[in-house]
Amino acid sequence: MDELMIEAHGLTKRYGDFTAVDGLDLAVRRGEIYGLLGPNGSGKTTTILMLLGLTEPTAGSVRVVGFDPVRQPLSVKSRAGYMPDEVGFYDELTAAENLAYIARLNGIPQAEADRRIDAALARVGLSEVADKRVGTFSRGMRQRLGVADVLIKQPQLIIMDEPTQGLDPEGAREFLEIIRGLSHEGITILLSSHLLYQVQATCDRVGLFHRGRKVLEGSVSELARQVLGGAYRVSVQARGPAEAIETALRKVPGAVTVTRRGEDRFELQATDDLRAEAAEAVVKAGGRLLSLAVEVPSLDDIYTRYFQEVGHAGSN
Amino acid sequence: MPGATELNRVAPRRREGSPWVGLWAVVAKEMADHLTSVRMYILEALIVLTAVGTVYGAMQNLQESVGQDPFLLLRLFTVGRDPLPAFVGFLGFLVPLIAIALAFDSINGEFNRRTMSRVLAQPIYRDALLLGKFLGGLFTLALVLTAIWLLIIGLGLVGMGVPPSGEEVSRSLLFLIATIFYGGIWLAVGMVFSVVFRQPASAALAAIALWLFSIVFWGVLASLIARTVLPIEYGSAEEIIAQAELELALSRISPNTLYTEVMLALLQPTLRSVGLVLPIQLQGALLGSPLPVDQSLLIIWPQLTGLIAATIVLFAVAYVLFQRQEIRA
């Protein structure tokens, strides 16, 4: 299980004076869904292109599915599927014909290719439009055809660049469902995105990119602890002596910050789920507890907070 | 797979595998695309119309001389009838037009459709994609030209009822091959521009501009340069010859000149030289008597190799430019 599907050390790409990717270390384990996160221009796509041998790294070493993409690009590309940002197809060909071309480029024999094409189209729910020209397809259908396209070579690793960009919420949900399904089949998935909610719901681990560097890495709750200090946010609604309640909440062990959100509302940031302790504190302080809720922070909060801090640090 | 992974720990120093993996898949796809495209239908219709029109005209002209002319078949290509010029005259500009139309969006079209990164993410090298596209275009061109060639020979057989001699068939076959390579040059030109320009319209315009320059302006420019570099001061024969030779050499930079010379030597068996001929060189020559095909071939051998070399050089330029191009749009 601990076999590394992607292994990069000090990976760097410079375009003239501009450093697109700066000393990246990356390790993605077999079977994982790994998310590359970051604003546009933070080096996500460049990293992906280097992983596939489509761009040569300026420095550093990289191994994908056990091969060096610079020297052994064919071995890498026959085992790793790539779905580019805004995947394009030959509009004048049908869905099946587009996939047949890819199968031929992969050197798959005709009979086997036909079988795989049927299976891949069925997998993404496009069997009925197999013989329709791709020019008539909607964005969501193209995106799903992109997945079918990647599946033709039966990859061990799939790399997707902004796969859900431009999809409507329903389309994105269906799409992420497909991704999770592939992961269950044992395929390792690396996806880049700036749509945080989706990444959070799908990825096992994420790496946060900023100006060509990977600044944070871990599961969403680990990141929350690192960036926000507290991974849990407990909302308390209580009537009574507000000052006393606030002081009591601050004294709860494990509480990081307490914020007044209104007349009778308090927000407690904590490293753990402190609902029981908070309830006890409110009651002891003479308050009447009206409601209590815990919220796991979203990647959105982490992201916003992180870049706020980076912004402050930069302006100081 | 851990075993396999371990085995591959030491990467070879050379790039693995053949650069031509997937070449024939690309060629087949390109040919299928070309042969079913509307663009190609239009060009095919145009060239068939030209062939039928000019050959019909030629046959009307030749009707009187049937039986006297030993190269009747070749005359079908070279004889015109007012107001139409001969078929070869049309070919001189139809072939570049078809070649440019086949190539001007070959590379930038893939970028614009956003299919480039998807195709290059397959286990093939860029080499295979570029050469596949070039060969796909060249084979398409060869297919169309061969079909036209057969059509003309067929029309000649039916219309005049005289079977062609072996000599005529071999001459016209060589002419066909030369025409295909002439197309190859313009195919490579179109390809270079399709790598350089991201907009297919710019690429098409640039290629057509270059073509117009080579057929219309280069001749004028060549004579201008020759007159400036080697002006005739004393009016001696040496001076005049030197100037004329420079002009000829310059004009041969244009593939159009090379092709015209090849065409003339192959289709007019009586032609002795494509360059300057001094009376002294013609001593003992039986003027007006035809040369055998290998002798005609000898005359235009430099032109023929020049056509092929130009095709290869232009393709190499496209290749180098394409290899250096960034894949991200």
Side-chain angles (χ1 to χ4, degrees), chain A residues 163-182:
Chain A
T164 54
Q165 195 174 27
L167 294 186
D168 57 47
E170 179 62 13
R173 199 190 54 74
E174 281 175 10
F175 190 82
L176 291 170
E177 203 60 52
I178 294 174
I179 292 180
R180 274 191 289 271
L182 294 175

PDB file of all heavy atoms in Angstrom, chain A residues 163-182:
ATOM      1  N   PRO A 163     -10.626  19.265 -13.267  1.00  0.00           N
ATOM      2  CA  PRO A 163     -11.635  18.447 -13.941  1.00  0.00           C
ATOM      3  C   PRO A 163     -13.066  18.952 -13.805  1.00  0.00           C
ATOM      4  O   PRO A 163     -13.887  18.671 -14.662  1.00  0.00           O
ATOM      5  CB  PRO A 163     -11.478  17.071 -13.293  1.00  0.00           C
ATOM      6  CG  PRO A 163     -10.866  17.343 -11.971  1.00  0.00           C
ATOM      7  CD  PRO A 163     -10.005  18.554 -12.143  1.00  0.00           C
ATOM      8  N   THR A 164     -13.365  19.690 -12.753  1.00  0.00           N
ATOM      9  CA  THR A 164     -14.765  20.071 -12.556  1.00  0.00           C
ATOM     10  C   THR A 164     -15.032  21.507 -12.928  1.00  0.00           C
ATOM     11  O   THR A 164     -16.141  22.008 -12.759  1.00  0.00           O
ATOM     12  CB  THR A 164     -15.184  19.864 -11.089  1.00  0.00           C
ATOM     13  OG1 THR A 164     -14.263  20.554 -10.259  1.00  0.00           O
ATOM     14  CG2 THR A 164     -15.198  18.401 -10.731  1.00  0.00           C
ATOM     15  N   GLN A 165     -14.034  22.190 -13.465  1.00  0.00           N
ATOM     16  CA  GLN A 165     -14.222  23.590 -13.807  1.00  0.00           C
ATOM     17  C   GLN A 165     -15.282  23.727 -14.904  1.00  0.00           C
ATOM     18  O   GLN A 165     -15.260  23.009 -15.891  1.00  0.00           O
ATOM     19  CB  GLN A 165     -12.910  24.177 -14.317  1.00  0.00           C
ATOM     20  CG  GLN A 165     -12.925  25.679 -14.338  1.00  0.00           C
ATOM     21  CD  GLN A 165     -11.559  26.231 -14.699  1.00  0.00           C
ATOM     22  OE1 GLN A 165     -10.778  25.585 -15.375  1.00  0.00           O
ATOM     23  NE2 GLN A 165     -11.283  27.423 -14.246  1.00  0.00           N
ATOM     24  N   GLY A 166     -16.206  24.630 -14.694  1.00  0.00           N
ATOM     25  CA  GLY A 166     -17.221  24.898 -15.701  1.00  0.00           C
ATOM     26  C   GLY A 166     -18.384  23.924 -15.698  1.00  0.00           C
ATOM     27  O   GLY A 166     -19.230  23.985 -16.575  1.00  0.00           O
ATOM     28  N   LEU A 167     -18.409  22.998 -14.746  1.00  0.00           N
ATOM     29  CA  LEU A 167     -19.555  22.079 -14.680  1.00  0.00           C
ATOM     30  C   LEU A 167     -20.610  22.664 -13.743  1.00  0.00           C
ATOM     31  O   LEU A 167     -20.279  23.341 -12.769  1.00  0.00           O
ATOM     32  CB  LEU A 167     -19.113  20.723 -14.147  1.00  0.00           C
ATOM     33  CG  LEU A 167     -18.157  19.917 -15.012  1.00  0.00           C
ATOM     34  CD1 LEU A 167     -17.943  18.542 -14.405  1.00  0.00           C
ATOM     35  CD2 LEU A 167     -18.721  19.767 -16.418  1.00  0.00           C
ATOM     36  N   ASP A 168     -21.874  22.374 -14.028  1.00  0.00           N
ATOM     37  CA  ASP A 168     -22.909  22.815 -13.096  1.00  0.00           C
ATOM     38  C   ASP A 168     -22.842  21.908 -11.860  1.00  0.00           C
ATOM     39  O   ASP A 168     -22.229  20.843 -11.900  1.00  0.00           O
ATOM     40  CB  ASP A 168     -24.287  22.797 -13.764  1.00  0.00           C
ATOM     41  CG  ASP A 168     -24.641  21.440 -14.307  1.00  0.00           C
ATOM     42  OD1 ASP A 168     -24.465  20.451 -13.571  1.00  0.00           O
ATOM     43  OD2 ASP A 168     -25.082  21.350 -15.458  1.00  0.00           O
ATOM     44  N   PRO A 169     -23.447  22.339 -10.744  1.00  0.00           N
ATOM     45  CA  PRO A 169     -23.285  21.572  -9.496  1.00  0.00           C
ATOM     46  C   PRO A 169     -23.651  20.101  -9.651  1.00  0.00           C
ATOM     47  O   PRO A 169     -22.936  19.223  -9.153  1.00  0.00           O
ATOM     48  CB  PRO A 169     -24.248  22.269  -8.537  1.00  0.00           C
ATOM     49  CG  PRO A 169     -24.363  23.650  -9.067  1.00  0.00           C
ATOM     50  CD  PRO A 169     -24.227  23.554 -10.544  1.00  0.00           C
ATOM     51  N   GLU A 170     -24.726  19.834 -10.385  1.00  0.00           N
ATOM     52  CA  GLU A 170     -25.153  18.446 -10.567  1.00  0.00           C
ATOM     53  C   GLU A 170     -24.106  17.683 -11.368  1.00  0.00           C
ATOM     54  O   GLU A 170     -23.721  16.561 -11.027  1.00  0.00           O
ATOM     55  CB  GLU A 170     -26.518  18.435 -11.286  1.00  0.00           C
ATOM     56  CG  GLU A 170     -27.091  17.063 -11.567  1.00  0.00           C
ATOM     57  CD  GLU A 170     -27.379  16.267 -10.302  1.00  0.00           C
ATOM     58  OE1 GLU A 170     -27.358  16.860  -9.200  1.00  0.00           O
ATOM     59  OE2 GLU A 170     -27.602  15.053 -10.433  1.00  0.00           O
ATOM     60  N   GLY A 171     -23.621  18.312 -12.422  1.00  0.00           N
ATOM     61  CA  GLY A 171     -22.598  17.685 -13.261  1.00  0.00           C
ATOM     62  C   GLY A 171     -21.335  17.417 -12.463  1.00  0.00           C
ATOM     63  O   GLY A 171     -20.737  16.346 -12.566  1.00  0.00           O
ATOM     64  N   ALA A 172     -20.954  18.382 -11.641  1.00  0.00           N
ATOM     65  CA  ALA A 172     -19.743  18.231 -10.841  1.00  0.00           C
ATOM     66  C   ALA A 172     -19.904  17.089  -9.842  1.00  0.00           C
ATOM     67  O   ALA A 172     -18.986  16.297  -9.637  1.00  0.00           O
ATOM     68  CB  ALA A 172     -19.434  19.533 -10.116  1.00  0.00           C
ATOM     69  N   ARG A 173     -21.110  17.007  -9.257  1.00  0.00           N
ATOM     70  CA  ARG A 173     -21.348  15.949  -8.265  1.00  0.00           C
ATOM     71  C   ARG A 173     -21.227  14.572  -8.915  1.00  0.00           C
ATOM     72  O   ARG A 173     -20.553  13.681  -8.413  1.00  0.00           O
ATOM     73  CB  ARG A 173     -22.747  16.123  -7.651  1.00  0.00           C
ATOM     74  CG  ARG A 173     -22.964  15.408  -6.338  1.00  0.00           C
ATOM     75  CD  ARG A 173     -24.417  15.436  -5.937  1.00  0.00           C
ATOM     76  NE  ARG A 173     -25.310  14.927  -6.973  1.00  0.00           N
ATOM     77  CZ  ARG A 173     -25.434  13.633  -7.284  1.00  0.00           C
ATOM     78  NH1 ARG A 173     -24.745  12.729  -6.623  1.00  0.00           N
ATOM     79  NH2 ARG A 173     -26.248  13.249  -8.250  1.00  0.00           N
ATOM     80  N   GLU A 174     -21.876  14.428 -10.071  1.00  0.00           N
ATOM     81  CA  GLU A 174     -21.800  13.154 -10.804  1.00  0.00           C
ATOM     82  C   GLU A 174     -20.355  12.823 -11.163  1.00  0.00           C
ATOM     83  O   GLU A 174     -19.916  11.680 -11.071  1.00  0.00           O
ATOM     84  CB  GLU A 174     -22.606  13.245 -12.104  1.00  0.00           C
ATOM     85  CG  GLU A 174     -24.088  13.098 -11.909  1.00  0.00           C
ATOM     86  CD  GLU A 174     -24.839  13.322 -13.207  1.00  0.00           C
ATOM     87  OE1 GLU A 174     -24.185  13.393 -14.278  1.00  0.00           O
ATOM     88  OE2 GLU A 174     -26.059  13.430 -13.146  1.00  0.00           O
ATOM     89  N   PHE A 175     -19.638  13.872 -11.561  1.00  0.00           N
ATOM     90  CA  PHE A 175     -18.270  13.675 -11.986  1.00  0.00           C
ATOM     91  C   PHE A 175     -17.398  13.181 -10.829  1.00  0.00           C
ATOM     92  O   PHE A 175     -16.613  12.244 -10.976  1.00  0.00           O
ATOM     93  CB  PHE A 175     -17.728  14.989 -12.550  1.00  0.00           C
ATOM     94  CG  PHE A 175     -16.421  14.825 -13.237  1.00  0.00           C
ATOM     95  CD1 PHE A 175     -16.378  14.380 -14.541  1.00  0.00           C
ATOM     96  CD2 PHE A 175     -15.241  15.084 -12.575  1.00  0.00           C
ATOM     97  CE1 PHE A 175     -15.179  14.200 -15.176  1.00  0.00           C
ATOM     98  CE2 PHE A 175     -14.039  14.901 -13.207  1.00  0.00           C
ATOM     99  CZ  PHE A 175     -13.999  14.467 -14.503  1.00  0.00           C
ATOM    100  N   LEU A 176     -17.582  13.814  -9.667  1.00  0.00           N
ATOM    101  CA  LEU A 176     -16.791  13.416  -8.506  1.00  0.00           C
ATOM    102  C   LEU A 176     -17.158  12.002  -8.065  1.00  0.00           C
ATOM    103  O   LEU A 176     -16.313  11.258  -7.568  1.00  0.00           O
ATOM    104  CB  LEU A 176     -17.013  14.411  -7.362  1.00  0.00           C
ATOM    105  CG  LEU A 176     -16.413  15.787  -7.656  1.00  0.00           C
ATOM    106  CD1 LEU A 176     -16.863  16.794  -6.623  1.00  0.00           C
ATOM    107  CD2 LEU A 176     -14.903  15.705  -7.702  1.00  0.00           C
ATOM    108  N   GLU A 177     -18.413  11.639  -8.299  1.00  0.00           N
ATOM    109  CA  GLU A 177     -18.869  10.278  -8.008  1.00  0.00           C
ATOM    110  C   GLU A 177     -18.050   9.281  -8.843  1.00  0.00           C
ATOM    111  O   GLU A 177     -17.584   8.256  -8.352  1.00  0.00           O
ATOM    112  CB  GLU A 177     -20.360  10.179  -8.367  1.00  0.00           C
ATOM    113  CG  GLU A 177     -21.110   9.081  -7.648  1.00  0.00           C
ATOM    114  CD  GLU A 177     -21.073   9.276  -6.137  1.00  0.00           C
ATOM    115  OE1 GLU A 177     -21.425  10.385  -5.663  1.00  0.00           O
ATOM    116  OE2 GLU A 177     -20.686   8.322  -5.462  1.00  0.00           O
ATOM    117  N   ILE A 178     -17.866   9.621 -10.120  1.00  0.00           N
ATOM    118  CA  ILE A 178     -17.081   8.764 -11.014  1.00  0.00           C
ATOM    119  C   ILE A 178     -15.642   8.654 -10.504  1.00  0.00           C
ATOM    120  O   ILE A 178     -15.065   7.571 -10.441  1.00  0.00           O
ATOM    121  CB  ILE A 178     -17.090   9.331 -12.454  1.00  0.00           C
ATOM    122  CG1 ILE A 178     -18.505   9.260 -13.042  1.00  0.00           C
ATOM    123  CG2 ILE A 178     -16.125   8.552 -13.343  1.00  0.00           C
ATOM    124  CD1 ILE A 178     -18.637   9.925 -14.392  1.00  0.00           C
ATOM    125  N   ILE A 179     -15.088   9.784 -10.089  1.00  0.00           N
ATOM    126  CA  ILE A 179     -13.699   9.785  -9.604  1.00  0.00           C
ATOM    127  C   ILE A 179     -13.563   8.874  -8.385  1.00  0.00           C
ATOM    128  O   ILE A 179     -12.650   8.057  -8.304  1.00  0.00           O
ATOM    129  CB  ILE A 179     -13.250  11.221  -9.243  1.00  0.00           C
ATOM    130  CG1 ILE A 179     -13.150  12.061 -10.515  1.00  0.00           C
ATOM    131  CG2 ILE A 179     -11.912  11.203  -8.520  1.00  0.00           C
ATOM    132  CD1 ILE A 179     -12.722  13.482 -10.282  1.00  0.00           C
ATOM    133  N   ARG A 180     -14.522   8.998  -7.460  1.00  0.00           N
ATOM    134  CA  ARG A 180     -14.445   8.147  -6.267  1.00  0.00           C
ATOM    135  C   ARG A 180     -14.569   6.672  -6.636  1.00  0.00           C
ATOM    136  O   ARG A 180     -13.885   5.822  -6.076  1.00  0.00           O
ATOM    137  CB  ARG A 180     -15.521   8.541  -5.259  1.00  0.00           C
ATOM    138  CG  ARG A 180     -15.066   9.671  -4.340  1.00  0.00           C
ATOM    139  CD  ARG A 180     -16.029   9.851  -3.195  1.00  0.00           C
ATOM    140  NE  ARG A 180     -17.291  10.421  -3.663  1.00  0.00           N
ATOM    141  CZ  ARG A 180     -17.515  11.738  -3.731  1.00  0.00           C
ATOM    142  NH1 ARG A 180     -16.591  12.580  -3.345  1.00  0.00           N
ATOM    143  NH2 ARG A 180     -18.649  12.198  -4.186  1.00  0.00           N
ATOM    144  N   GLY A 181     -15.420   6.395  -7.626  1.00  0.00           N
ATOM    145  CA  GLY A 181     -15.582   5.016  -8.098  1.00  0.00           C
ATOM    146  C   GLY A 181     -14.268   4.461  -8.626  1.00  0.00           C
ATOM    147  O   GLY A 181     -13.885   3.323  -8.334  1.00  0.00           O
ATOM    148  N   LEU A 182     -13.559   5.272  -9.378  1.00  0.00           N
ATOM    149  CA  LEU A 182     -12.278   4.839  -9.951  1.00  0.00           C
ATOM    150  C   LEU A 182     -11.279   4.562  -8.840  1.00  0.00           C
ATOM    151  O   LEU A 182     -10.512   3.612  -8.893  1.00  0.00           O
ATOM    152  CB  LEU A 182     -11.717   5.918 -10.878  1.00  0.00           C
ATOM    153  CG  LEU A 182     -12.519   6.191 -12.137  1.00  0.00           C
ATOM    154  CD1 LEU A 182     -11.922   7.358 -12.893  1.00  0.00           C
ATOM    155  CD2 LEU A 182     -12.543   4.955 -13.014  1.00  0.00           C
TER     156      LEU A 182
END
